[in-house]
């Protein structure tokens, strides 16, 4: 007789400090962000505060001295959630998310008029839950990718 145990899904709750980014400038440039804003974004200390309960994620993002932004994502929510940009202005795009069996959470944002996602973010816990990697891809031309690595704060 074989017994198959499902691992507990990872819990993303905690305070996560950005420790490195790969291709942030190239990604922002592909999204049409100007030089000055790209340099400002690269200079900011970034912290994500995640409250993860069941299929709901509340993510508060602190960027230096800028006002923090908070968004709530519900895994499997097909209606989406409106989000605020760096200036605090509400964008017209929505966010939906889904959880894979491996525990990765995919977040799709920036839907175009034909309903296709233009930005995809995959959040993945590594190093026994001490490191959070976020892989972000721009899915339309010009395509671009970036990776942000966060360390869990005690």
């Amino acid at each position: 007789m074989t017994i198959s145990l499902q691992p507990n899904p990872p819990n993303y709750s905690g305070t996560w400090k950005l420790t490195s980014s790969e291709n942030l400038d190239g990604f922002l440039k592909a999204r049409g962000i100007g030089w000055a804003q790209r340099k400002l974004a690269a200079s900011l200390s970034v912290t994500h505060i995640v409250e993860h309960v069941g299929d709901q994620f509340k993510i508060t993002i602190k960027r230096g001295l800028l006002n923090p932004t908070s968004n709530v994502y519900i895994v499997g929510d097909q209606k989406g959630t409106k989000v605020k940009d760096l200036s605090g202005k509400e964008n017209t795009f929505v966010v939906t998310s889904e959880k894979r069996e491996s525990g990765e959470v995919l977040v799709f944002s920036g839907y175009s008029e034909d309903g296709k996602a233009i930005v995809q973010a995959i959040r993945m816990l590594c190093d026994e839950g001490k490191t959070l990697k976020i892989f972000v891809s721009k899915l339309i031309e010009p395509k671009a990718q970036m990776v942000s690595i966060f360390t869990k704060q005690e």
Side-chain angles (χ1 to χ4, degrees):
M1 179 166 114
T2 303
I3 298 176
S4 175
L5 297 176
Q6 293 291 332
N8 291 331
N11 190 302
Y12 289 77
S13 294
T15 299
W16 302 89
K17 184 169 177 59
L18 179 68
T19 53
S20 68
S21 287
E22 298 171 15
N23 197 34
L24 173 64
D25 189 71
F27 182 80
L28 294 176
K29 188 174 184 179
R31 293 200 60 201
I33 306 296
W35 179 85
Q37 284 186 303
R38 293 194 320 264
K39 296 305 172 196
L40 174 63
S43 71
L44 295 175
S45 66
V46 178
T47 302
H48 285 199
I49 301 167
V50 179
E51 299 172 38
H52 175 192
V53 178
D55 284 340
Q56 181 171 305
F57 292 79
K58 178 180 180 186
I59 303 173
T60 301
I61 301 173
K62 294 183 178 181
R63 297 177 185 93
L65 299 175
L66 300 175
N67 289 333
T69 59
S70 291
N71 296 301
V72 175
Y73 308 110
I74 300 172
V75 174
D77 179 7
Q78 297 303 310
K79 294 179 293 185
T81 305
K82 292 192 177 197
V83 298
K84 294 182 180 180
D85 64 16
L86 287 174
S87 68
K89 205 169 30 170
E90 191 170 84
N91 286 306
T92 57
F93 57 82
V94 296
V95 174
T96 62
S97 56
E98 68 180 59
K99 192 184 319 179
R100 293 181 173 173
E101 286 183 27
S102 63
E104 295 173 323
V105 175
L106 286 96
V107 176
F108 301 96
S109 64
Y111 288 79
S112 60
E113 289 181 12
D114 62 0
K116 293 183 180 175
I118 60 172
V119 176
Q120 169 183 289
I122 300 173
R123 295 174 172 268
M124 183 172 25
L125 288 176
C126 305
D127 303 324
E128 298 179 358
K130 297 176 185 170
T131 303
L132 172 64
K133 290 185 179 180
I134 304 175
F135 301 87
V136 182
S137 300
K138 183 172 180 274
L139 304 174
I140 61 171
E141 298 296 333
K143 294 183 178 183
Q145 294 180 339
M146 67 172 275
V147 178
S148 297
I149 300 173
F150 294 79
T151 303
K152 192 168 192 175
Q153 305 300 291
E154 299 299 322

